[in-house]
Amino acid sequence: MTQTINNTENQPFISVTNLGIGYGNRVVQENLNFTVNKNDIFFIVGGSGCGKTTLLKNMIGLIPPAKGEVLYRGQNYYNADEHTQLELLKSWGITFQSGALFSSMSLGENVALPLQLYTDLSEKQIAETVAYKLALVGLAGFEEFYPSELSGGMHKRAGLARAIALDPQLLFFDEPSAGLDPISSLRLDQLILQVCQALDSTVIIVSHELPSILSIGTNSVFLDAQSKTMLDAGDPKLLLHNSKQEKVRQFLSRAEATAQLAEEKTL
């Protein structure tokens, strides 16, 4: 019998319980327990080598957990049948550091691809949707441009336009600001906020960009490479002064100072 996605509103949007992640016999993180609420802008944070991207891969179905589970409104992706897995995947949008656009396709063709694969929209409806999604990320009229013709910031926005083609409930970002200057990074943060509000989406971000964490983050988990587990979880603005973990307070104190410097550069 086909499983269905549980849409009960009185449970966490995502629940991570006793999660262990790694590669073969190598443990990357263990005993991860946190929740993501609907409309959160949730940051996965920690030092280099702590497993941020590995955790993201577990959450988007690329690597099965070593133990524990990730539930999406009560549904375990890895235990679901193929139909339910596909329905979950269609409700997610994923962007990578490089944007991962197809270089041989125009922006319009890149954004249209998910719509052609997973909807029954007519060519006219697809073209209208593509135009709307490109306009939403500030690239109106760029349908005929190719990825090689874009700046780094435009490349990131084009990748976001493709990720939101199917109006996803959940958006995943892997280092979205990587390679951008501080001003472009700030503008991308603002764009993520706008898109999240426009689509009523929940956002999960892997990032080492300290200003972003405090400026747009509403929830977070802090991973530690040394102990191979999480140090704390919650709203980073509250954890800045209230976390019981000194490492977390120190990390966010540096983030606060960096954020202030970024703001001063925009004045």
Side-chain angles (χ1 to χ4, degrees):
M1 183 173 64
T2 300
Q3 301 179 45
T4 57
I5 299 173
N6 192 336
N7 289 317
T8 304
E9 294 294 335
N10 61 356
Q11 61 184 349
F13 195 74
I14 299 175
S15 179
V16 175
T17 307
N18 299 324
L19 188 69
I21 60 177
Y23 300 94
N25 294 326
R26 184 168 74 88
V27 175
V28 176
Q29 288 284 318
E30 55 188 354
N31 299 322
L32 301 182
N33 293 276
F34 59 87
T35 59
V36 180
N37 301 310
K38 183 171 171 55
N39 299 129
D40 266 347
I41 297 182
F42 186 97
F43 277 86
I44 300 173
V45 182
S48 298
C50 70
K52 298 186 295 294
T53 298
T54 302
L55 174 56
L56 185 73
K57 289 179 179 178
N58 275 258
M59 297 183 73
I60 62 177
L62 291 178
I63 302 176
K67 61 180 179 180
E69 61 183 5
V70 181
L71 300 181
Y72 304 88
R73 287 186 170 171
Q75 177 66 62
N76 187 325
Y77 172 84
Y78 292 99
N79 291 343
D81 58 49
E82 291 185 8
H83 172 79
T84 304
Q85 285 185 341
L86 179 59
E87 290 304 306
L88 280 168
L89 289 172
K90 285 164 60 177
S91 72
W92 302 345
I94 303 169
T95 69
F96 300 94
Q97 290 187 30
S98 64
L101 298 172
F102 293 104
S103 60
S104 62
M105 300 170 65
S106 68
L107 293 196
E109 291 169 336
N110 266 282
V111 179
L113 187 59
L115 298 165
Q116 294 166 342
L117 291 175
Y118 299 116
T119 74
D120 296 322
L121 296 176
S122 66
E123 290 187 12
K124 179 181 179 182
Q125 290 172 318
I126 289 176
E128 291 172 347
T129 303
V130 167
Y132 170 67
K133 296 302 167 64
L134 286 174
L136 199 59
V137 301
L139 291 175
F142 279 78
E143 286 87 343
E144 301 304 318
F145 282 66
Y146 283 81
S148 61
E149 300 175 292
L150 303 181
S151 67
M154 294 169 72
H155 214 278
K156 301 278 188 181
R157 286 185 277 148
L160 176 56
R162 188 178 63 183
I164 63 175
L166 296 175
D167 294 332
Q169 300 176 21
L170 185 58
L171 276 168
F172 294 95
F173 292 87
D174 186 12
E175 301 283 5
S177 300
L180 297 181
D181 62 80
I183 303 304
S184 297
S185 179
L186 178 63
R187 289 171 178 164
L188 183 60
D189 287 344
Q190 294 168 343
L191 178 60
I192 290 172
L193 271 177
Q194 293 168 3
V195 169
C196 180
Q197 293 168 354
L199 299 180
D200 192 32
S201 296
T202 301
V203 177
I204 296 178
I205 305 174
V206 168
S207 181
H208 66 276
E209 296 294 331
L210 303 182
S212 300
I213 297 165
L214 288 177
S215 62
I216 66 172
T218 63
N219 199 355
S220 62
V221 62
F222 285 76
L223 307 182
D224 181 51
Q226 185 176 5
S227 62
K228 297 186 184 299
T229 192
M230 58 185 284
L231 296 179
D232 214 337
D235 187 330
K237 291 180 283 297
L238 297 178
L239 295 178
L240 170 63
H241 300 296
N242 299 325
S243 175
K244 295 180 180 179
Q245 298 292 329
E246 184 178 359
K247 279 187 178 181
V248 174
R249 297 195 305 272
Q250 289 178 343
F251 184 98
L252 290 173
S253 294
R254 294 196 300 272
E256 185 178 42
T258 308
Q260 289 174 350
L261 288 173
E263 288 181 4
E264 290 173 2
K265 289 181 181 180
T266 64
L267 298 179

